[in-house]
Amino acid sequence: MIPAPFDYVLAEHPDHAIELLGKREDAKLLAGGHSLLPAMKLRLARPALLIDIGRIGDLSYVREDSDTIAIGALTRHMDVAASAVLREQCPIVSFTAGQVGDPQVRHRGTIGGSIAHGDPASDLPTVILALDGELVARGKGGDRTIAARDFFTGVFQTALASDELLVEVRVPKLASKGWSYTKMSRRAQDWATVAVAAIVERNGSVGKASIGLTNMGATSLRATAAEEALAGGASVSDAAALADDGTDPPSDHAASADFRRHLSRVLTRRAIEEAASR
Ligand code: FAD
């Protein structure tokens, strides 16, 4: 399919993009284009103006602070996957970036695009949610920081205002915590049918865990019932059996909602076990 007609402008720096966004309601930012352009070709999105932020070099970086790591929103998946800092300090993020699509997708797609798109089937939002990460949004009034828990508000919906640019993703260093991102898809390099992120504090046994779910509802979700059961002393199997509590998974060509519920329980057990052993 061919997209509906649109105007195009290349943003030179973040403030330029914000200024352009504020001028037209029917404008959209273009980063890697690997979610927006397919949607435009299917005419599911019809922006009248594309503001290309893909060449703003200032927003492509991975920086280490004392206990957090800051990732520029325009950092491409392949650079996140290859980052020595992330591999050392927060490997669940670099590993998961390496699980996104295929090499072509990873060479164009950006972490900011993945998060701003708000697709519940995307991998990195779930990991950022499980890590209790933060997102930095920039608008005319300056920067504001949004907790990942408050960021994802619905299918393809986020807490970003229409004239805001996502500029940075912040994640904590994992230190001695174990981790896993366990993804099940029908074909290699496909979107997750279901995936589970687990971050586990190890004190001889699994006591406290953060568990994130991909494609189990309108947004990436936390498996709160399973987390609470583990904190209360339940076994990994008993806690994992609660993974789908409070979820509302879709039925589609890849799987029924019931099968997704089953998968979420199995993958949660596997993810916690892998995280505890790492
Ligand atoms: P774009 O497509 O350019 O933009 C997406 C949306 O976010 C647009 O609405 C845009 O306006 C907005 N946006 C982009 N950047 C910003 C910003 N900085 N601030 C505010 N708004 C912004 N993803 C997965 O997670 N797992 C997969 O397995 C997977 N497989 C894929 C397979 C294929 C064949 C394709 C085409 C894509 C796949 N993806 C997958 C999606 C891929 O990760 C995309 O790159 C990503 O979802 C969007 O990033 P982008 O930079 O391409 O964003």
Side-chain angles (χ1 to χ4, degrees):
M1 287 276 289
I2 297 172
F6 58 88
D7 294 330
Y8 171 93
V9 59
L10 185 62
E12 288 157 17
H13 48 77
D15 288 345
H16 185 209
I18 292 161
E19 184 195 323
L20 291 165
L21 265 182
K23 282 189 179 156
R24 283 184 59 174
E25 274 183 18
D26 50 6
K28 271 227 166 260
L29 298 170
L30 175 72
H34 268 58
S35 289
L36 182 56
L37 294 183
M40 288 172 63
K41 286 182 180 175
L42 292 168
R43 306 242 172 162
L44 297 172
R46 290 168 171 254
L49 172 67
L50 280 189
I51 303 166
D52 188 348
I53 55 173
R55 284 179 241 178
I56 302 179
D58 303 3
L59 293 183
S60 175
Y61 57 83
V62 178
R63 287 184 197 136
E64 187 178 0
D65 295 330
S66 56
D67 52 5
T68 58
I69 299 162
I71 309 166
L74 285 170
T75 312
R76 298 193 191 278
H77 299 314
M78 63 156 194
D79 293 322
V80 174
S83 160
V85 169
L86 284 167
R87 284 180 170 203
E88 177 73 23
Q89 306 286 358
C90 196
I92 189 170
V93 175
S94 49
F95 172 83
T96 304
Q99 303 296 302
V100 172
D102 52 40
Q104 188 179 349
V105 174
R106 295 196 289 275
H107 275 76
R108 292 298 308 166
T110 64
I111 188 167
S114 255
I115 289 166
H117 192 50
D119 184 342
S122 285
D123 298 302
L124 286 160
T126 302
V127 168
I128 305 304
L129 182 68
L131 284 165
D132 283 319
E134 292 178 335
L135 294 318
V136 182
R138 185 170 300 167
K140 278 194 184 126
D143 287 4
R144 68 183 177 116
T145 303
I146 308 166
R149 272 183 186 267
D150 301 326
F151 189 82
F152 304 104
T153 54
V155 181
F156 303 126
Q157 289 178 341
T158 71
L160 281 176
S162 59
D163 58 353
E164 279 183 320
L165 179 70
L166 177 64
V167 290
E168 192 171 273
V169 180
R170 291 185 189 150
V171 292
K173 293 182 181 175
L174 279 189
S176 62
K177 289 179 188 161
W179 62 275
S180 171
Y181 188 70
T182 302
K183 177 173 175 177
M184 154 82 196
S185 41
R186 281 164 63 96
R187 299 172 304 183
Q189 304 182 333
D190 219 344
W191 299 83
T193 305
V194 172
V196 177
I199 295 139
V200 169
E201 281 180 18
R202 291 166 298 189
N203 306 315
S205 64
V206 178
K208 199 169 166 218
S210 302
I211 302 164
L213 303 172
T214 301
N215 221 355
M216 286 295 290
T219 63
S220 290
L221 296 171
R222 288 285 284 264
T224 314
E227 291 177 354
E228 287 173 358
L230 272 181
S235 68
V236 170
S237 305
D238 287 351
L242 301 172
D244 60 320
D245 255 37
T247 65
D248 185 17
S251 284
D252 56 27
H253 67 284
S256 66
D258 276 352
F259 184 53
R260 281 198 163 91
R261 287 183 179 281
H262 169 75
L263 270 181
S264 72
R265 298 189 289 262
V266 173
L267 297 182
T268 296
R269 179 177 51 73
R270 288 185 192 166
I272 297 170
E273 286 172 353
E274 184 173 53
S277 69
R278 251 184 185 144

